[in-house]
Amino acid sequence: MPTDDDLYDLINDLDRQSYKAYKQIQGRYSFPGFVLLIDYVQGDPFASPSRLRVQVPQVSQQGKAIAGFPPELYQNRSRNIALCDYLTRQFEQVANDLRGKRGSGKSGLIAIASPGQEVLERTSVLVSDERVEARFVVGLPAQGRSILGRQAAELLCDDIADLVEKALFYRNLNARAIKRHVETVEDSDWLRQQLTAQNLVAFVPNGAILPRESGVSDKPLGANAGDNVKGVKDLKDSVVPFQSPKSLEVSFNRPNAGSVPRMG
C-alpha cells in the first residue's frame, strides 16, 4: 500500500497541473497509525468536495493502543451511537480549527456531517472492536482550476494526520466527558423504553429549562447570557426552571445516573 510520503510526493508533482489531474490521488494510503482512503475526487474546485475516510485500528498488530477506545464505551447499541456522536462532534470541532482558505471555491474545506442537539445513529463515524472510521469531505486546493500542490500536500498529509490524532485517539480526548456523554445517552434511551410500561407519552425532568434562546436555536434560554448592562438582572437568573406538580410527578431509577423526579 502506498504511504503518506508517496501521497505527498504525488501531490507535489501535480502542482500547477489541471484540476482534473487530482483524480490520480484516488486510493488508499498508509499513514502512521491509520489508513487514509480517498474514495472520490471532485472534478472542479467549485463542485461537491472530495469524499475521504480514515480508518484507525483500535490496537496495532503488536497490541499497542492506537485509537484505543475501551469496549465498555460502545458495548451496546445505545452506547455505540453515543460514542460515534461524540466523536463526530469532536472531529467537527477540530476540523473547524484546522480549516483554512487555500484557494478558489471550496479549497481547504474539511467537513463532517454536522449534528444538532439530537443524538442520532449516523454513518459519519463508525466504531467497532477492530477500528474507528470517520467519513468526511475535503476541498482540494486550487487557484482557479490549477492544482495548488504544496497546499494540498499540507492539507492531506499534515492537517488530516493532526485531525485524526486530536479527534480519534482516545488518549488525547477527555475521558470523563466521553463517559458522561455515553451514559447520558444510554440513560435517555432507557427512559424512553419505560414510557409504554408506565402508560406515559412523555416526561419532563425537574430543573429543565424549557424555553429556547430563539426560534432558530436549540440552546436553552440564557445559555449564553452574560452580565447585562445598566444593572439589568442577568437573564440566566430570570429563567424559571421547570418544576412538576406533585400530583403528576413520577420517578425513574436510571442505569447510570440514578433516580430523578419528573413529570410524566
Side-chain angles (χ1 to χ4, degrees):
M1 184 189 305
T3 67
D4 55 324
D5 290 334
D6 296 324
L7 178 60
Y8 190 91
D9 292 340
L10 174 58
I11 296 174
N12 275 296
D13 289 343
L14 298 177
D15 188 46
R16 298 299 173 181
Q17 293 189 34
S18 169
Y19 199 87
K20 291 186 181 298
Y22 264 135
K23 295 288 185 181
Q24 298 178 43
I25 70 173
Q26 191 166 325
R28 299 167 59 97
Y29 299 89
S30 175
F31 280 64
F34 68 95
V35 173
L36 172 67
L37 299 93
I38 303 176
D39 295 321
Y40 166 79
V41 176
Q42 64 202 95
D44 184 280
F46 299 92
S48 297
S50 303
R51 296 193 295 269
L52 282 68
R53 289 179 288 155
V54 290
Q55 294 178 340
V56 188
Q58 292 283 12
V59 296
S60 68
Q61 293 181 345
Q62 293 74 34
K64 181 180 178 181
I66 301 180
F69 287 90
E72 60 266 23
L73 292 177
Y74 56 90
Q75 65 185 1
N76 57 42
R77 184 172 183 272
S78 180
R79 284 177 169 246
N80 190 288
I81 291 173
L83 178 58
C84 292
D85 176 85
Y86 184 93
L87 295 179
T88 297
R89 296 173 193 274
Q90 183 69 21
F91 193 101
E92 181 185 38
Q93 179 180 329
V94 177
N96 287 339
D97 292 340
L98 290 173
R99 184 171 59 192
K101 187 69 174 175
R102 284 188 165 105
S104 307
K106 296 181 173 66
S107 296
L109 171 72
I110 306 176
I112 196 168
S114 182
Q117 71 171 357
E118 304 85 358
V119 177
L120 303 172
E121 186 172 17
R122 303 181 180 90
T123 57
S124 50
V125 173
L126 305 174
V127 179
S128 68
D129 288 332
E130 290 74 34
R131 68 175 66 91
V132 175
E133 177 173 305
R135 302 169 176 182
F136 57 104
V137 295
V138 165
L140 297 173
Q143 188 63 50
R145 285 176 171 77
S146 296
I147 290 174
L148 293 178
R150 180 179 60 81
Q151 291 89 332
E154 290 176 352
L155 174 65
L156 294 178
C157 298
D158 297 334
D159 288 357
I160 288 180
D162 194 24
L163 174 56
V164 169
E165 185 170 346
K166 290 180 178 178
L168 301 178
F169 285 11
Y170 180 70
R171 64 176 179 270
N172 295 329
L173 300 174
N174 186 330
R176 182 176 297 179
I178 295 175
K179 183 174 184 289
R180 182 171 62 248
H181 188 83
V182 167
E183 290 182 348
T184 298
V185 173
E186 185 177 43
D187 282 349
S188 297
D189 286 345
W190 182 88
L191 284 168
R192 293 186 187 98
Q193 293 169 8
Q194 311 309 307
L195 290 176
T196 302
Q198 298 294 328
N199 199 28
L200 300 173
V201 295
F203 45 71
V204 183
N206 289 341
I209 304 299
L210 301 184
R212 303 292 94 180
E213 279 186 336
S214 71
V216 295
S217 174
D218 288 332
K219 295 180 179 179
L221 182 64
N224 293 325
D227 294 332
N228 294 326
V229 297
K230 298 181 180 180
V232 178
K233 189 177 182 182
D234 193 324
L235 179 58
K236 288 183 287 188
D237 294 336
S238 67
V239 176
V240 179
F242 176 81
Q243 180 63 45
S244 172
K246 287 295 182 182
S247 60
L248 298 176
E249 194 169 271
V250 295
S251 184
F252 293 98
N253 191 28
R254 297 169 294 179
N256 298 295
S259 179
V260 60
R262 60 192 62 221
M263 185 178 78

